[in-house]
Amino acid sequence: MSVEGGSGTSGASSEAGDASPTAAPVGHGGTDRSAASGVTDGDRPGAPPVRSPEFFPREIFWNLPNSVTMLRIGIVPVLIFLPLAQGPTGSRFMAWAFIIAALTDILDGWLARRDGGRDITRIGKLLDPLADKMLVSTALIMLLAIGRIPLWGAGMVVVIVGRELAVTGLRGIASTHGHIVAATFPGKIKAIAQSAATGALLFHYETFGLPAHEIGMTLLAIATALTLWSGYLYFADYFGWKRPATNA
């Protein structure tokens, strides 16, 4: 979804840089870094590179995958009305709305990757994980607010929401330096566990002959453990905390 490109440097600018004592610094190999990559440095020393608007080609926002993602985001305000729908019928409505929205994550991903990924966009790459985090975080906060997650379970909600904010921030920082924090397998398992736990807690009452609330709390504990584990892996990958392999 991320499109990268650059423009070449002119010989005239290189000669001017060699002749002038106040010329802009050049990168490795004597090439003007900003001209070669389309990146300009900030005013402060050590500031991350800032890409000019011309560096990124214009994209179509309202394609099919992005529309599905926006539909998932549109379910978030519906969950805010959970306190008004705590009966069996209202709980089933909220649970199915959440489940359908969560399943659209699979759909928009498939739609974006078909035909060689022609519908993959930078904004879609941003909105897709953001929609998932907004959906789960809003549902868990509202479940905590109406008491379906007991007070002793508030710590699990804080861990899940805090981890999502931290990883989102990490991805933003990494992207400014050209580093992609890719999704990991534990992260995907975590997302499934979070969605299953949230859906069960939204049902609350016995569903399909199963104790939905008890199942939801059990899955929430499992999801919290997976959240901590996958979160550590993301930060370890970025900061290089993993120990290098040693030869036996």
Side-chain angles (χ1 to χ4, degrees):
M1 297 181 191
S2 177
V3 182
E4 300 263 339
S7 60
T9 56
S10 64
S13 63
S14 297
E15 293 172 2
D18 293 337
S20 173
T22 59
V26 297
H28 295 294
T31 303
D32 186 340
R33 180 173 54 188
S34 61
S37 63
V39 178
T40 58
D41 292 329
D43 295 334
R44 294 171 297 162
V50 179
R51 302 185 189 279
S52 61
E54 295 80 8
F55 187 78
F56 297 109
R58 183 172 297 180
E59 296 177 330
I60 298 176
F61 178 82
W62 288 109
N63 59 20
L64 189 54
N66 289 350
S67 298
V68 173
T69 301
M70 292 302 296
L71 176 63
R72 185 157 72 255
I73 294 176
I75 299 296
V76 172
V78 176
L79 295 172
I80 297 176
F81 292 95
L82 181 60
L84 304 178
Q86 297 189 49
T89 302
S91 296
R92 285 193 294 269
F93 172 80
M94 289 292 183
W96 283 116
F98 174 85
I99 291 171
I100 292 172
L103 290 176
T104 61
D105 184 34
I106 301 174
L107 177 61
D108 62 14
W110 176 79
L111 290 172
R113 290 189 296 270
R114 66 176 182 169
D115 297 333
R118 63 182 177 86
D119 287 328
I120 294 176
T121 60
R122 294 185 301 276
I123 188 64
K125 195 172 184 178
L126 169 68
L127 289 178
D128 183 51
L130 181 62
D132 300 335
K133 291 169 174 54
M134 291 175 63
L135 190 69
V136 172
S137 297
T138 302
L140 290 177
I141 291 171
M142 297 311 300
L143 286 166
L144 183 63
I146 65 174
R148 290 190 182 176
I149 297 177
L151 189 59
W152 58 264
M156 294 189 288
V157 176
V158 170
V159 166
I160 290 174
V161 175
R163 179 270 189 196
E164 302 298 355
L165 292 174
V167 171
T168 299
L170 178 68
R171 281 193 167 115
I173 294 171
S175 65
T176 63
H177 300 285
H179 182 83
I180 298 176
V181 181
T184 62
F185 179 74
K188 296 176 182 178
I189 297 299
K190 175 271 305 178
I192 294 173
Q194 285 183 359
S195 296
T198 305
L201 289 170
L202 286 169
F203 275 118
H204 184 63
Y205 302 96
E206 183 175 303
T207 305
F208 302 122
L210 299 173
H213 181 76
E214 289 75 9
I215 292 175
M217 290 303 299
T218 302
L219 290 174
L220 187 63
I222 295 173
T224 302
L226 290 171
T227 295
L228 289 171
W229 179 33
S230 62
Y232 167 78
L233 292 179
Y234 281 119
F235 279 85
D237 174 66
Y238 181 73
F239 290 106
W241 292 343
K242 295 179 181 180
R243 294 181 180 179
T246 57
N247 296 326

